[in-house]
Amino acid sequence: MDQDRDGSRASAGNGEASALRLLQSASGLRLFAMHALIVVVLLATAQSYDGSIHPMSHWVVLAAYATCSLGLGLAERWDRDAGQHNGSGFTSRRAEGLAWASTALNAGVAIYVEIEHLLVGASAGFDDAAGAVSKLPAFLLLLQTGLTMRVWHTAVFAGAVAIAWAGTILIAILQPAGSLLGPHVSLSDEMPALLTFIAASLVVIDGVRRLRHAVTTALRLEHERTMLARFVPGSVAVQLAREGGLGTVRERHACLFTLDIRGFSAFTRDYPREHVVQALLDIRALTHAGVSEHGGIVDKYIGDGVLAHFLVGPPQHQARSALDAAVAIRERLDALNVERREQGRHPLTITIALHAGTVLAGVFDDGSRAEFTALGSAMNMLARLEARAKAEDLSLAASEQVIGLLVGRLPSGLTAVPVATEDASGHRLPALYAITQKDSIHA
């Protein structure tokens, strides 16, 4: 069972990783547009300087950045197409290598533009524009790296740029005035800009971390909901998935429900086969409807019996839901019996027993067949209570655990009447209560 659980978790983890990579690749057009914008910014930066010091360096960096960005984009596209072609998805090691190469390229160009501005400065009349433009690559590339939803990449980029930026400022402070900084660069302007970049980096990193967590959580819940929907109703699957339902066989409190057709053996002997089959299908249909409408799970059909569980919500909610389902089923059965009498068929009677306790519930998968079921001593007690309820000719009975949960929550018109706790030989029996209409006690 541990191996099945580990396999389910590994499968879910692989699914989340694949989905994240697909989500990252889906932003490819946005990232390409961001690269193009950075090239435009570099072009604007090159035009803002007077050309007195190394004017060609900007054009070289511009060409190198554009070429490398295009090359990395094509390599990533080729890697993705190759993975989709052979059905294996992305080659994780190669994809991660390309991502780190892109992060290093972004950090390098952001550092170059900022340090070049600090060391060269802007010509008169262009200092404000050049100063502003020189900051744009750092902030835009920070956002671009964050859009990849890679927390460590974003942190490394931000750290590298901040360290290089701060280091240059520190060296400038330690040097005699005017010997290192460009002619139109002021430390009073650079320090607030650096602090702004650091603050923006922290916000982006935290945002990426939160977004990644939210996305992975949503993907996990959707994956588990989809898998659980094979076994349980959709609304119940959502709530179980939030509790870690997929492949997680765990202890849960549950209100257990069992239904049995009374006198079914004699019914099968006395009536034609098609009548027996139709009666059985009718009972199953109304039971499934009643249980599902009240948040329960039909576990299995056993001959003329039905086993169901109520696992969602606090114990009091489970007990009330199970009771409401039982009442709804009896009302449906009354309507069904009216139709059967009109058709000249024998009416059907049932016994419903309720019990509450801790069970081991989840998806049990032996490799050949998977099912969502519950096990434990509470299930054994449920069988004993059902047998007693049938022997006492009760239509609806509950254990003392269920009655304890229903204190103050019984629907109006219903009451719980204790049944004898000893048999004819004086042996003590499990506590059992008959749930019946109040007026039927005096009838």
Side-chain angles (χ1 to χ4, degrees), residues 213-261:
H213 175 72
V215 170
T216 54
T217 300
L219 290 171
R220 177 183 61 80
L221 289 177
E222 179 60 21
H223 178 65
E224 294 189 353
R225 186 201 65 78
T226 302
M227 295 298 293
L228 283 170
R230 298 164 50 198
F231 309 100
V232 301
S235 59
V236 178
V238 171
Q239 299 184 60
L240 290 178
R242 289 173 181 167
E243 301 174 7
L246 177 63
T248 305
V249 178
R250 52 178 288 191
E251 285 192 346
R252 301 175 184 268
H253 185 278
C255 190
L256 309 174
F257 172 109
T258 184
L259 178 148
D260 193 75
I261 303 176

Side-chain angles (χ1 to χ4, degrees), residues 309-321:
H309 318 302
F310 292 80
L311 297 165
V312 174
Q316 293 82 359
H317 174 77
Q318 295 172 359
R320 180 56 191 268
S321 297

Side-chain angles (χ1 to χ4, degrees), residues 410-433:
L410 276 172
S412 59
L414 292 183
T415 187
V417 181
V419 181
T421 57
E422 292 184 354
D423 61 14
S425 303
H427 295 120
R428 186 168 182 81
L429 300 171
L432 186 68
Y433 291 78

Side-chain angles (χ1 to χ4, degrees), residues 39-64:
V39 172
V40 173
V41 170
L42 287 174
L43 179 61
T45 305
Q47 294 295 327
S48 297
Y49 285 98
D50 60 0
S52 59
I53 302 179
H54 306 300
M56 290 300 299
S57 63
H58 293 282
W59 299 102
V60 171
V61 171
L62 176 65

Side-chain angles (χ1 to χ4, degrees), residues 117-281:
H117 171 72
L118 289 172
L119 299 182
V120 176
S123 61
F126 290 95
D127 51 336
D128 292 339
V133 171
S134 68
K135 306 298 184 293
L136 278 177
F139 286 91
L140 291 177
L141 289 169
L142 171 67
L143 179 59
Q144 180 193 39
T145 308
L147 286 175
T148 65
M149 296 185 64
R150 294 180 172 93
V151 178
W152 277 108
H153 287 248
T154 309
V156 168
F157 171 86
V161 174
I163 290 172
W165 194 341
T168 305
I169 292 176
L170 180 61
I171 294 174
I173 293 175
L174 297 177
Q175 292 291 327
S179 63
L180 182 64
L181 294 180
H184 299 283
V185 175
S186 171
L187 290 179
S188 62
D189 293 331
E190 293 300 321
M191 289 300 297
L194 174 60
L195 293 177
T196 301
F197 176 79
I198 293 174
S201 298
L202 294 176
V203 171
V204 171
I205 292 170
D206 182 64
V208 171
R209 183 185 62 81
R210 291 174 181 270
L211 179 60
R212 185 184 178 95
H213 175 72
V215 170
T216 54
T217 300
L219 290 171
R220 177 183 61 80
L221 289 177
E222 179 60 21
H223 178 65
E224 294 189 353
R225 186 201 65 78
T226 302
M227 295 298 293
L228 283 170
R230 298 164 50 198
F231 309 100
V232 301
S235 59
V236 178
V238 171
Q239 299 184 60
L240 290 178
R242 289 173 181 167
E243 301 174 7
L246 177 63
T248 305
V249 178
R250 52 178 288 191
E251 285 192 346
R252 301 175 184 268
H253 185 278
C255 190
L256 309 174
F257 172 109
T258 184
L259 178 148
D260 193 75
I261 303 176
R262 284 190 277 177
F264 191 71
S265 297
F267 185 78
T268 58
R269 293 193 300 268
D270 298 338
Y271 291 90
R273 179 179 58 186
E274 57 271 18
H275 288 193
V276 173
V277 172
Q278 186 59 52
L280 187 60
L281 293 178

Side-chain angles (χ1 to χ4, degrees), residues 1-9 247-250 360-366 375:
M1 186 172 66
D2 291 337
Q3 292 178 349
D4 291 338
R5 186 183 302 119
D6 293 340
S8 298
R9 290 174 178 171
T248 305
V249 178
R250 52 178 288 191
L360 198 61
V363 177
F364 289 80
D365 187 353
D366 60 7
L375 303 173

